[in-house]
Amino acid sequence: MVERNEDSSLSAKQAAKRAEELRAELRRHEHLYYVMDAPVISDAEYDKLMNELKHIEAAHAELMTPDSPTQRVGGKPAEGFAKVRHSRPMLSLDNAYTEEELRDWDRRVHELAGGLPVEYTCELKLDGLSLALHYEGAPDGGAHLVRGLTRGDGQVGEDVTLNVRTIRSVPLSISPERLKKAGTPQDFEVRGETVMPEKAFEEMNKEREAAGETPAVNPRNAAAGTLRTKDPTMVAKRRLDVYGYFLLSGGEYLPIGQEATLDALTALGFRVNPHRGKVHTVEQMMTFIARAGEQRATLGYDIDGVVMKVDAQATQQRLGYTGRAPRWAIAYKFSAEQAITQMVDIMITTGRTGKLTPTAVLQPVFVGGATISRATLHNADWIERMGLRIGDWVKVERGGDVIPKVAEIVEDAEHPRGEHKYVYPTHCLVCGQAAVREEGEADYRCVNLDCPALLQGALEHWGSRGVMNIEGLGEASAAQLLEKELVRSVADLYRLTEEQLVSLDRWGKKSAQGLLGQIERSKHAGLARVLMGLGIRFVGERTAEEIAQEFGSMDAIVNASAEELERVEEVGPRISEAITDFFARPANRELIEQLKTLGVGMTAEKKQRSTQLAGLTFVLTGTLPNLSREDAKAKIEAAGGKVSGSVSKKTNYVVAGEDAGSKLEKAEQLKVPVIDEAGLLNLLASEEPGS
Ligand code: IVH
């Protein structure tokens, strides 16, 4: 009997029709949102349509299509990425940094063009990574996405199709109407640039920092890392955008010129960067470049220059290619604006994570459109290596990023070196405690949990959703509690009273009780959360979970040696050291004691890990009377043993059932002991060594 629910109650025909409608509607909204930046419905309405389609597809499996909007996140990619040769090499661009270099290029173009038309299309040079998207004809006369390739070495790229499918500005299918409008064959290839918008980049780094992971250096690295992750659901969570700039078929550019290519891409439904222009002269290029420079700060994504492309394809072909780049295009790269000034001091601040950050205090100087008197300095390592002195003259740079930085020390007749070598403080300047600098690290860190600079960060972290989940303990309330000195460590949270809270500005009885209730509840968050809440470097959610399960109590963790900690799969020497260092500090041990006394739970269910088969390798063959192959394997592995697919001298036991074949013969040949199911169960039931 077929279960009747909302959707299966639709006739097959009605369902097919509705699914098609919904798909068209969802595609339209995805295009409006991710390509045009002009949504016309709310996210909730969009989700509603998506859910309706998911329901129909669940009830009518035959209606599912691979390019349905519900299928953006599908299977898992195989280990590594398959290498695929590009239809034609993905080349690079030659660079120009000055107007003079642009003039030289323009002159050469005119010479080589031999009278053919020379017009240029100017585009922004997006700072991301290039991508090739392959589409093939679909039965409905349209086309669908079949492959997405990274640039790789330019000749051979990596197949990142599953990840690319999750990028919403990449259409999974193209309707016959759009193909017709664009004048594009059914089989075609789009090349373009993948970027991570600044906002998505900031969010990602916030999450990474909260998890104790190193933040990505810039959006380009973040985009590259994201595109090459092995988990498409991760890619789907982070926003990437692809902007198209080339259109090919059969490994040849469509013969329509660059400007028409951008129009055709728009007609196909791809995201195309709106900042573009057609120019004839170098003056006009410089105007476009200057405007791009002004827009740069507010685009919401990184650019590192402007690309000029000869528009007409006939001219492009006449000009041809050098080994690595087309002669018909050039990248004008923005150079960071620089100025020289004197460094009058170095300021060290302690950030929320404990990092001691050096900042150069400068004689005010005008650079990149603004007067600056502070600039970031590389790190302690650089300062020591360069022997930086107060009074040194330095070159400061202001790139696209708003924060200026010290690029180098200047030394010549006009710019003598300063007198006093700067001695880097080895103490936190906020709390006065010794800071640590681990081998191989470029900065010092304050590891005193009571340091006021760290406290604000520590409180927020402790209260955050992924940690102790104390609603109402956010940035503002944490600051209030610290300011009024009601709290000096996370332990003090558990000593707060209603009276104290209502004495604060804007706090009433109800909000005070609410927060106290949340704090009380957090006592049961469990060992893993507490461990994460301590903010030990590198100890994010997964690691904390695993450690908690392995050790079962905070006491066991506090007293564990590095070696013992490293028995946890997630934990390597870097993490074990961070943990042992943390607990070696009396202040941190004291904090744990206080939390315990105040009733914060610090135990976890210990994962039962038996070891009676540790170090033994088994091979299973034939049919066992009771256990399935999977069950037998699971039992062996749970007891610490390994299961291998083939018999060798290293095999300890072959477990043979009925109809055992060549593996049994091999075992006999190699004199590997053969046991049956009962024998295996016997081994499993035997006492653990030493217990
Ligand atoms: S055209 C023949 N157009 O810049 C290959 N590239 O430095 C030329 N890029 O690998 C590609 N924005 O990843 C082109 N509007 C744009 C671009 C652009 C960014 C990247 C692309 C290329 C690199 C060369």
Side-chain angles (χ1 to χ4, degrees), residues 372-394:
I372 59 160
S373 54
R374 300 259 190 283
T376 60
L377 269 167
H378 294 249
N379 49 45
D381 180 51
W382 187 83
I383 292 172
E384 279 169 10
R385 219 162 4 96
M386 305 304 283
L388 196 62
R389 300 173 181 185
I390 305 293
D392 273 347
W393 291 82
V394 292

Side-chain angles (χ1 to χ4, degrees), residues 129-308:
L129 49 143
S130 42
L131 195 68
L133 304 167
H134 291 251
Y135 288 80
E136 278 174 19
D140 68 350
H144 54 216
L145 175 71
V146 292
R147 201 169 304 115
L149 304 176
T150 64
R151 178 172 183 275
D153 64 3
Q155 305 286 334
V156 174
E158 286 175 311
D159 188 332
V160 288
T161 310
L162 288 171
N163 288 343
V164 168
R165 286 175 60 88
T166 70
I167 304 176
R168 307 299 174 105
S169 48
V170 172
L172 294 178
S173 63
I174 313 276
S175 67
E177 294 75 35
R178 280 192 183 273
L179 277 185
K180 195 160 159 230
K181 194 159 140 222
T184 309
Q186 273 190 294
D187 291 357
F188 65 90
E189 176 183 348
V190 172
R191 290 187 178 177
E193 198 78 356
T194 317
V195 301
M196 181 177 284
E198 259 156 37
K199 255 205 189 137
F201 172 69
E202 283 160 16
E203 265 168 37
M204 176 183 129
N205 268 355
K206 248 195 231 150
E207 279 171 28
R208 294 188 70 121
E209 275 180 46
E213 296 168 49
T214 348
V217 193
N218 56 39
R220 176 160 45 83
N221 286 6
T226 303
L227 204 54
R228 299 184 73 259
T229 50
K230 299 286 163 52
D231 180 2
T233 57
M234 279 300 286
V235 189
K237 267 192 238 155
R238 298 183 188 154
R239 176 153 181 183
L240 292 177
D241 275 323
V242 176
Y243 290 88
Y245 47 69
F246 284 147
L247 190 46
L248 300 86
S249 189
E252 296 295 331
Y253 292 105
L254 292 197
I256 54 178
Q258 185 57 21
E259 194 182 27
T261 292
L262 297 179
D263 291 336
L265 286 167
T266 308
L268 287 171
F270 288 89
R271 201 177 174 105
V272 173
N273 198 282
H275 304 282
R276 52 190 257 206
K278 190 84 161 285
V279 306
H280 298 85
T281 65
V282 175
E283 281 75 35
Q284 290 168 326
M285 291 179 204
M286 292 311 293
T287 308
F288 186 94
I289 291 166
R291 189 149 19 98
E294 288 162 16
Q295 290 161 335
R296 190 175 180 188
T298 54
L299 289 170
Y301 47 84
D302 280 357
I303 61 171
D304 59 346
V306 169
V307 183
M308 262 65 63

Side-chain angles (χ1 to χ4, degrees), residues 91-93 123-126 130 193 245-246 307 309 326:
L91 298 179
S92 185
L93 288 170
E123 298 167 19
L124 299 183
K125 187 169 185 315
L126 305 167
S130 42
E193 198 78 356
Y245 47 69
F246 284 147
V307 183
K309 297 173 183 169

Side-chain angles (χ1 to χ4, degrees), residues 173 177 187 211 214 297 303 338 353 459 528 530 624 644:
S173 63
E177 294 75 35
D187 291 357
T214 348
I303 61 171
Q338 299 178 327
T353 56
L459 284 181
V530 176
L624 302 178
S644 154

